[in-house]
């Protein structure tokens, strides 16, 4: 499993903690930046990460900014991406079970590193349930196909 990672300057500390977790647990990852605390624009980093997931280069993505909101908006502009902004393990679990989310967004100023690692772990280890949820995810795809040309 390969994970796309991206953050802006407001999410760099948390991204570094997630990299430690991924490395220690045998996950492969691709870091799309930033790697500096200099002010930068989160779309410049979240977009290539989302494109890597949508294009199949990476299986899942994790994007981080101060709140998680901006990076989730950017990721969800890419056709094929279902990015969930999660601040607890329950949401991380159920976005995989029911929504088949393929990207996770978090905010460094919203969740601490300990909780963030638990969220990442739950997100990466939970499998999509399918069944009645497949029908709903397919409807999301239909909407996407209608509006995202």
């Amino acid at each position: 499993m390969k994970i796309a990672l991206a953050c802006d300057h407001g999410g760099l500390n948390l991204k570094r903690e997630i990299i430690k977790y991924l490395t220690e647990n045998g996950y492969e990852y691709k870091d799309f930046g930033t790697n500096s605390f200099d002010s930068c624009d989160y779309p410049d980093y979240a977009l290539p990460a989302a494109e890597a997931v949508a294009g199949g280069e990476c299986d899942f993505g994790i994007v981080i900014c101060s709140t998680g909101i901006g990076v989730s908006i950017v990721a969800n502009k890419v056709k094929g991406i279902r990015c969930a902004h999660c601040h607890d393990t329950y949401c991380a679990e159920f976005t995989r079970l029911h929504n088949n989310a393929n990207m996770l967004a978090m905010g460094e100023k919203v969740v601490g590193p300990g909780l963030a690692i638990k969220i990442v772990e739950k997100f990466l280890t939970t499998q999509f349930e399918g069944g009645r949820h497949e029908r709903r995810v397919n409807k999301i795809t239909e909407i996407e196909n209608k509006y995202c040309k």
Side-chain angles (χ1 to χ4, degrees):
M1 181 182 306
K2 188 172 183 180
I3 314 301
L5 290 174
C7 70
D8 69 357
H9 57 282
L12 183 55
N13 285 321
L14 190 54
K15 185 181 78 170
R16 288 177 174 168
E17 291 297 320
I18 292 168
I19 286 172
K20 286 181 199 171
Y21 168 81
L22 294 175
T23 301
E24 290 169 1
N25 289 278
Y27 289 100
E28 186 180 354
Y29 67 89
K30 182 169 182 180
D31 187 351
F32 289 88
T34 189
N35 291 299
S36 167
F37 291 107
D38 296 338
S39 181
C40 62
D41 299 330
Y42 55 84
D44 296 340
Y45 304 96
L47 178 60
E51 290 172 334
V53 174
E57 178 185 350
C58 295
D59 302 296
F60 293 102
I62 301 170
V63 288
I64 310 152
C65 63
S66 293
T67 64
I69 297 168
V71 289
S72 68
I73 292 170
V74 170
N76 280 314
K77 297 296 181 186
V78 176
K79 189 173 182 177
I81 295 300
R82 288 175 305 283
C83 182
H85 178 213
C86 296
H87 55 273
D88 57 49
T89 57
Y90 180 84
C91 291
E93 178 180 13
F94 277 83
T95 198
R96 288 289 305 126
L97 286 171
H98 292 184
N99 311 122
N100 200 16
N102 51 12
M103 291 191 74
L104 170 65
M106 291 187 292
E108 181 176 309
K109 294 185 192 270
V110 179
V111 295
L115 177 57
I117 295 306
K118 290 177 182 177
I119 291 168
V120 167
E121 180 177 40
K122 186 61 75 173
F123 183 84
L124 295 178
T125 60
T126 302
Q127 298 297 312
F128 179 51
E129 272 186 359
R132 70 185 190 277
H133 306 295
E134 184 74 36
R135 181 179 71 245
R136 296 165 185 159
V137 171
N138 288 340
K139 288 182 179 188
I140 293 169
T141 302
E142 288 173 15
I143 294 166
E144 186 178 61
N145 288 336
K146 180 178 179 180
Y147 289 102
C148 300
K149 302 289 178 186

